[in-house]
Amino acid sequence: MSTPISLTASLRLTPDAELPDGIAAISAFCAAMRSEPGCTFAHAMQENENPRQFILWEQYRDRDAQQAHFQAPHTQSFIASGLTELVSVSEGVLISTDYLDSQS
């Protein structure tokens, strides 16, 4: 059995990006990620103290699914849009997947 890959990415809107456009693009990007065959979880949070900064939580079935995500047309289009810049990304393993398992 392969190990799921969990990612946390911090993004911020570029200086020229309008906040409503950024929110719409990030929301659409998460929805597109959730349609990927190997993506089991993709959600975003807007920070309260800095509303131009966002945290994305993603989980992929395995390394192949994660790599496929980066090659997906919607991912390449989101990156090319120039609305956001990547601040940081970290990879880890969820300690508990009880909530996710109950949603299947």
Side-chain angles (χ1 to χ4, degrees):
M1 175 181 251
S2 46
T3 302
I5 306 296
S6 298
L7 300 176
T8 301
S10 177
L11 304 176
R12 80 174 141 243
L13 297 183
T14 55
D16 294 336
E18 296 292 332
L19 186 58
D21 295 338
I23 292 170
I26 291 168
S27 295
F29 182 47
C30 286
M33 279 191 276
R34 289 190 295 272
S35 74
E36 295 173 21
C39 181
T40 58
F41 187 87
H43 293 279
M45 177 191 77
Q46 182 181 24
E47 292 188 7
N48 283 335
E49 289 187 28
N50 182 355
R52 297 182 63 80
Q53 188 130 340
F54 300 83
I55 303 295
L56 273 60
W57 293 296
E58 308 166 31
Q59 184 176 41
Y60 300 91
R61 177 183 57 237
D62 53 26
R63 184 73 59 198
D64 289 341
Q66 177 209 11
Q67 293 303 313
H69 160 70
F70 290 113
Q71 302 307 315
H74 59 262
T75 300
Q76 293 301 310
S77 177
F78 180 77
I79 292 168
S81 75
L83 288 171
T84 64
E85 55 191 7
L86 181 64
V87 175
S88 67
V89 65
S90 60
E91 183 178 311
V93 177
L94 288 177
I95 294 172
S96 172
T97 59
D98 295 344
Y99 171 78
L100 295 175
D101 294 340
S102 71
Q103 300 300 306
S104 313

